[in-house]
Amino acid sequence: MNNKQKNESLMSVVLPQEFSNSQSSKNLINSQQPQDEETSDCPLLTPSPTIRVVRKIPEMIPVFNHIESPLEIPASPSSENINSEDGLNVFMNIVNSSSKPLHDEPSSRDPMVESTSSSSNSSIKNEPVCTQLLTQLNEAYQHLAPDAQALQNLILNENGGKPPLVGIQLVVPKPPKNYIFTKWNWPLIRKTCFWSMISIFIGCVALVIGVIITMPRRCDPEVEWWQGSLFYEIFPGSYQDGMAINDGIGDLPGITKRLDYLQKLGVKGVRLNSIFPADHYPEYYYNVTSLMDVNPILGQMNDFDELIQEIHKRNMTLILDIPLYPFVKNLDLANINNDTSQILKQRREILSELLPTMTPSSLEMVGGILPTTTNFETEIEENDDISSAIRFWSKKGVDGFYLKGLENFVNEKSFPNKLRYWKSILGMGRILICSIKTLTDATSVLAKNAILNRIDLIDVHISVANGTNNIRDQINNILDGILFEKSGYPWVHWSIGNVDTKRVTSTLNVNNASVAVVLMTMMLPGTPSIFYGDEKGILECDCPEHADLEHVHNLTPMHWDKSDAINSGANEKFSSYQIPWLSKSNDPIETNLRDAISNMTSIRKETPTIYVKSVINNNKPKANCDVRYTKDELIVIERRYRRRNSYVFVANLGKISQMKDLSNLYYGGHMVIGPKHKFGENVYFKQLSIPPGEAFVIKLDK
């Protein structure tokens, strides 16, 4: 046999070329079937090549390296004793001798072992586990074949020179030293992976804890600043005289000095209903001569700037009344002066004559010189008195406008466009308010849609002079009306008094019930409004010497006491001057509900003020409010909340104390608003006692 080039990836084993002619060797050869090779325990062995017959016994030549020192092989068993028990043991010893590790120089019969030595064994122990496993795997493949030299000698002695089997080759993978991953720092990799997983786990736990901590306790719907907030209407001439001249007329500096009182009350929007120049102010405040200036009696423009600055500093807003009527009598061209109207008329006549005969090139040439009718009308519209006033006061920082008398123009042709344009001047964050009469008097669909889409608050006045049944009808008429059909429609601005109506205290059967009806408006869904003095129960002016000023008897000067002057910087009285412009009314009747309004404001902040589609009844959206009882001048109003405690308002607007059994409506609850001596007590509706003019709010048990 010729020497072959050694292949690093293969392992060769030399077997004898002939087997002995003994009967045992024949049986061994005959017993090998073709399927034995397929079902071998060594699937990596390549099929044996065909047997090559040799006439004479050649000299054994190693495949790769010549064996320097021959192996010591025990005496070969003879054919007579090979089948015996001792002979079989000897044969198995010969076969197993090939699997013994060699600790000396490599053997030519086992080429794959030539890399093993006593020194390498010690280095293997220091190698990674994966390298040791691969080494053991290769050694296992390496010892699959028996010792070739011993087997050949045995067979030749027994067989007498018969052709031996050709050596087989084993295909094994590359040595472990060629695997790159065996050189990696696996202990460091394991530590890194472990601490990375721990860090990720800790981060996830911290994230979950952070989300839970920062999660809001209530899922209340978001509302704008004017939705549900408390408004406070002031007639500046009757609120506080704060200027140094002490003329007995309220002014802007006086309002500035009383802002702490309003903030303590829980007011969000301060509404001034007349600050413009007017002849014979304040007696005839409605005779406005200009919409873009401050009445000198109330102060200068810098006083107004200081007022609005202080209001915003306290996180409050300023709403300004603009008296459209009778200052403006027509929203169309009637509010343009005669000179402007004459110019507009002449330009229209010129355009009507030139347009039919002009070519497109000539129209383009004169376009910059002679504006079209549409552009000119837009220019006039942008400079009308109302638009100019809204633009002027918006730049000053005013947060909203009450368009007084807007109902007088609702059916004019230009009304929708005018309203749309005024809203565009305000932009985001500022509001427009109008009376409910504007919506009810609108006859065209365009006008109604303009009101519902451009107005933010619609003022609804509730008359409390005709009993609780009438109050119920007024409230239900609004709750079941168009304003509660869609969430995008204007909110309700509830009021029980204003500059044009009589004092609430003077119209009620019992004088100390004014605070009770104020609390009633704060119980309703929407934005409540207080006319100055109603939270104290002040009366109208009782002044026969001013009989000619009966139309302003409701504008009696504000009643102040020492407790209101603390930390306000203002005098405890309306004015240090002895004679105010209007005689002061009698002192209001003392009430047990002095702090009830500020407490009610706090409750409104804790409960959602949204009301649209909170309840569906007969496929119709309803507000989360019901008037449940109105007999014997007793009124009960419920404010419902899903998955929360509901609130019940109870007030006695009659003259006598009443004991009622309302257990058919409710069982009991906890009083959160009411007289100081009953505040915080448990209330049961089986025997409910209500003194005249008293009111309280009960938080029902779930």
Side-chain angles (χ1 to χ4, degrees):
M1 297 178 60
N2 298 327
N3 291 334
K4 296 182 181 180
Q5 184 68 28
K6 182 178 178 180
N7 192 341
E8 293 295 337
S9 63
L10 301 177
M11 178 178 69
S12 301
V13 177
V14 179
L15 294 180
Q17 296 179 356
E18 295 182 357
F19 281 101
S20 175
N21 292 330
S22 64
Q23 184 64 32
S24 61
S25 61
K26 292 180 181 180
N27 295 336
L28 177 62
I29 296 173
N30 293 335
S31 63
Q32 293 181 356
Q33 299 298 331
Q35 61 271 19
D36 292 342
E37 183 177 357
E38 299 176 359
T39 60
S40 173
D41 294 335
C42 305
L44 297 179
L45 299 179
T46 59
S48 302
T50 58
I51 300 175
R52 182 162 53 92
V53 180
V54 181
R55 294 295 181 181
K56 59 181 179 179
I57 301 174
E59 185 181 356
M60 294 301 299
I61 301 174
V63 178
F64 297 112
N65 298 326
H66 179 70
I67 302 177
E68 298 294 338
S69 60
L71 297 174
E72 295 181 2
I73 304 175
S76 302
S78 62
S79 60
E80 289 81 7
N81 59 8
I82 195 170
N83 292 327
S84 65
E85 183 177 357
D86 295 336
L88 181 60
N89 293 333
V90 173
F91 176 77
M92 295 304 299
N93 291 333
I94 296 173
V95 174
N96 295 333
S97 64
S98 62
S99 62
K100 295 179 180 180
L102 300 177
H103 299 286
D104 51 359
E105 56 184 294
S107 174
S108 60
R109 295 166 297 168
D110 199 354
M112 294 297 293
V113 187
E114 61 185 8
S115 62
T116 61
S117 63
S118 61
S119 61
S120 63
N121 290 337
S122 61
S123 62
I124 289 175
K125 295 180 181 179
N126 297 327
E127 292 181 349
V129 177
C130 58
T131 305
Q132 298 179 25
L133 291 176
L134 291 173
T135 304
Q136 294 176 6
L137 177 62
N138 289 336
E139 290 179 355
Y141 280 113
Q142 174 177 313
H143 297 295
L144 286 176
D147 192 303
Q149 184 66 33
L151 185 59
Q152 183 180 13
N153 294 337
L154 175 63
I155 294 174
L156 288 178
N157 293 336
E158 295 293 334
N159 208 17
K162 291 294 182 67
L165 294 176
V166 179
I168 61 176
Q169 294 179 338
L170 301 178
V171 179
V172 296
K174 294 181 179 181
K177 63 181 180 180
N178 292 334
Y179 291 101
I180 299 177
F181 63 85
T182 61
K183 300 179 181 179
W184 294 352
N185 192 346
W186 285 104
L188 179 61
I189 293 175
R190 288 193 297 269
K191 290 181 181 179
T192 304
C193 293
F194 173 76
W195 289 113
S196 298
M197 294 299 297
I198 293 297
S199 301
I200 294 174
F201 175 76
I202 294 175
C204 293
V205 172
L207 179 62
V208 172
I209 294 175
V211 171
I212 294 175
I213 293 176
T214 58
M215 185 179 297
R217 297 182 179 179
R218 305 190 308 267
C219 297
D220 297 339
E222 295 185 0
V223 293
E224 301 292 345
W225 63 265
W226 65 86
Q227 295 176 330
S229 303
L230 178 62
F231 282 20
Y232 192 89
E233 181 181 354
I234 297 175
F235 181 73
S238 298
Y239 199 64
Q240 176 67 57
D241 183 11
M243 291 198 302
I245 59 176
N246 292 325
D247 56 357
I249 301 176
D251 44 47
L252 298 179
I255 299 175
T256 304
K257 294 177 181 179
R258 295 294 183 178
L259 291 179
D260 291 338
Y261 166 79
L262 298 178
Q263 187 179 21
K264 182 180 177 181
L265 202 61
V267 173
K268 180 65 176 180
V270 180
R271 175 184 162 194
L272 306 180
N273 53 34
S274 183
I275 66 169
F276 306 111
D279 296 335
H280 305 290
Y281 185 91
E283 292 86 353
Y284 299 94
Y285 61 90
Y286 44 81
N287 293 332
V288 177
T289 58
S290 174
L291 294 178
M292 298 177 63
D293 200 359
V294 175
N295 196 314
I297 298 178
L298 301 178
Q300 303 298 322
M301 188 61 71
N302 59 346
D303 295 325
F304 180 84
D305 295 336
E306 182 182 359
L307 171 62
I308 197 169
Q309 182 180 359
E310 293 296 325
I311 287 176
H312 289 164
K313 185 184 298 183
R314 291 167 174 80
N315 196 26
M316 296 189 294
T317 57
L318 179 64
I319 296 92
L320 194 62
D321 283 18
I322 296 184
L324 305 184
Y325 188 86
F327 183 79
V328 175
K329 297 182 180 179
N330 196 313
L331 289 181
D332 295 328
L333 297 179
N335 65 334
I336 305 175
N337 56 49
N338 294 330
D339 295 337
T340 305
S341 301
Q342 187 66 24
I343 294 174
L344 179 61
K345 182 178 180 181
Q346 293 176 359
R347 291 191 176 186
R348 283 179 172 176
E349 293 176 354
I350 295 173
L351 286 175
S352 62
E353 295 177 359
L354 293 179
L355 287 177
T357 60
M358 294 178 67
T359 61
S361 59
S362 60
L363 281 173
E364 183 178 358
M365 182 174 59
V366 301
I369 302 174
L370 187 62
T372 61
T373 305
T374 304
N375 292 337
F376 184 73
E377 289 178 349
T378 303
E379 181 181 353
I380 297 300
E381 177 182 292
E382 293 178 351
N383 290 312
D384 70 273
D385 295 327
I386 300 175
S387 301
S388 299
I390 293 176
R391 188 184 301 107
F392 174 79
W393 294 109
S394 296
K395 292 180 180 179
K396 285 288 185 180
V398 176
D399 301 289
F401 299 91
Y402 189 113
L403 303 178
K404 297 288 291 294
L406 186 63
E407 61 273 11
N408 294 282
F409 314 107
V410 67
N411 292 318
E412 293 186 9
K413 184 179 180 181
S414 60
F415 175 80
N417 293 332
K418 290 283 188 178
L419 194 58
R420 189 181 302 110
Y421 178 71
W422 295 337
K423 184 62 177 178
S424 66
I425 296 175
L426 295 179
M428 301 298 295
R430 293 185 173 92
I431 64 173
L432 290 177
I433 311 174
C434 71
S435 172
I436 185 65
K437 198 172 186 300
T438 307
L439 182 62
T440 56
D441 291 352
T443 57
S444 66
V445 177
L446 291 177
K448 287 186 177 181
N449 290 336
I451 296 171
L452 295 175
N453 295 321
R454 306 298 175 182
I455 298 296
D456 301 288
L457 289 175
I458 291 187
D459 181 33
V460 176
H461 176 74
I462 300 178
S463 176
V464 295
N466 299 321
T468 55
N469 289 330
N470 182 262
I471 294 175
R472 177 199 58 198
D473 295 339
Q474 294 180 73
I475 294 175
N476 289 338
N477 185 38
I478 299 299
L479 297 181
D480 297 334
I482 189 175
L483 295 178
F484 286 84
E485 290 184 358
K486 293 184 179 180
S487 59
Y489 283 173
W491 277 51
V492 180
H493 177 271
W494 302 99
S495 63
I496 54 174
N498 54 51
V499 70
D500 300 320
T501 60
K502 294 179 67 66
R503 277 285 170 183
V504 173
T505 308
S506 300
T507 57
L508 291 171
N509 294 327
V510 53
N511 291 339
N512 65 336
S514 61
V515 181
V517 294
V518 170
L519 292 175
M520 180 189 70
T521 60
M522 299 181 71
M523 193 71 187
L524 300 175
T527 300
S529 179
I530 301 176
F531 189 53
Y532 82 97
D534 286 346
E535 76 277 12
K536 293 176 174 290
I538 63 174
L539 300 166
E540 288 192 355
C541 171
D542 185 12
C543 41
E545 68 277 11
H546 295 297
D548 57 329
L549 300 178
E550 187 177 359
H551 61 285
V552 293
H553 281 186
N554 60 323
L555 303 180
T556 181
M558 179 67 173
H559 176 81
W560 298 106
D561 53 26
K562 293 182 179 180
S563 61
D564 298 323
I566 297 177
N567 298 326
S568 65
N571 194 295
E572 66 181 66
K573 299 180 179 180
F574 167 74
S575 175
S576 59
Y577 189 68
Q578 296 298 324
I579 304 176
W581 75 275
L582 191 65
S583 298
K584 185 180 178 181
S585 65
N586 297 329
D587 292 340
I589 299 176
E590 188 64 27
T591 176
N592 294 325
L593 302 174
R594 182 172 180 82
D595 298 328
I597 294 178
S598 58
N599 294 335
M600 189 67 177
T601 305
S602 301
I603 292 179
R604 288 181 63 88
K605 293 179 180 179
E606 297 174 359
T607 57
T609 54
I610 194 72
Y611 56 82
V612 175
K613 294 185 178 179
S614 62
V615 177
I616 303 297
N617 188 9
N618 296 327
N619 296 325
K620 183 179 180 180
K622 291 181 64 66
N624 61 334
C625 180
D626 282 324
V627 181
R628 302 296 303 274
Y629 191 88
T630 56
K631 295 181 180 179
D632 301 326
E633 295 302 312
L634 190 70
I635 184 168
V636 178
I637 301 176
E638 178 187 358
R639 188 77 178 270
R640 301 183 304 276
Y641 295 99
R642 291 185 177 180
R643 297 180 295 275
R644 295 188 184 185
N645 299 87
S646 297
Y647 292 83
V648 173
F649 169 81
V650 181
N652 182 8
L653 303 183
K655 295 182 178 181
I656 59 175
S657 181
Q658 300 190 42
M659 179 72 69
K660 289 291 182 181
D661 181 7
L662 301 178
S663 58
N664 60 329
L665 298 177
Y666 314 105
Y667 173 73
H670 182 72
M671 183 179 293
V672 293
I673 302 293
K676 293 182 178 181
H677 62 281
K678 293 183 179 180
F679 185 79
E681 294 182 357
N682 292 328
V683 178
Y684 300 97
F685 289 85
K686 182 68 175 177
Q687 292 181 344
L688 197 63
S689 176
I690 312 101
E694 192 170 281
F696 45 82
V697 178
I698 302 171
K699 185 178 182 180
L700 298 180
D701 299 330
K702 286 187 178 180

